[in-house]
Amino acid sequence: MNASRALNAYQREAILSASPARLLTMLYDRLLLDLGRAEAAQLAEEWPTAHENLLHAQDILAELSASLQPELWTGADQLLGIYNYAGAALMNANIHRNVELTRECVALLEPLRATWHEAAGLPAAAAGVGQAS
């Protein structure tokens, strides 16, 4: 129990002290982790687990959307379109139990994750993303 509390405190501190670029990459890392877990759960027909991970991925997309600042970056509207499309696809993946839609979102969002890691100067592989845990 104490180890769990210590881990939670460490993770909370890591988030609170992270730079904006690091926070963005952390969101993308978790988004792709959720999608990997959802895909694995869908393939195993573990629908409650798939549902939970797909909803969390949608929440992350909503946060990413809310953080966009179109007045500061001309590409924000196009990125918002990608986020909106992925959010709708994940909702349909959840409703229709469609693993192909989940995979489509992974294929769409993974290059963005890698690009943000590169822009932030952080190694994407160090995050251990893409592996269902």
Side-chain angles (χ1 to χ4, degrees), residues 7 50 59:
L7 178 60
D59 288 344

Side-chain angles (χ1 to χ4, degrees), residues 32 102-112:
L32 271 295
T102 304
R103 289 178 175 156
E104 180 182 348
C105 288
V106 169
L108 181 66
L109 296 167
E110 175 58 35
L112 289 172

Side-chain angles (χ1 to χ4, degrees), residues 88-106:
L90 292 178
M91 181 174 55
N92 284 312
N94 203 357
I95 291 169
H96 301 290
R97 298 180 172 178
N98 185 332
V99 71
E100 291 306 317
L101 288 172
T102 304
R103 289 178 175 156
E104 180 182 348
C105 288
V106 169

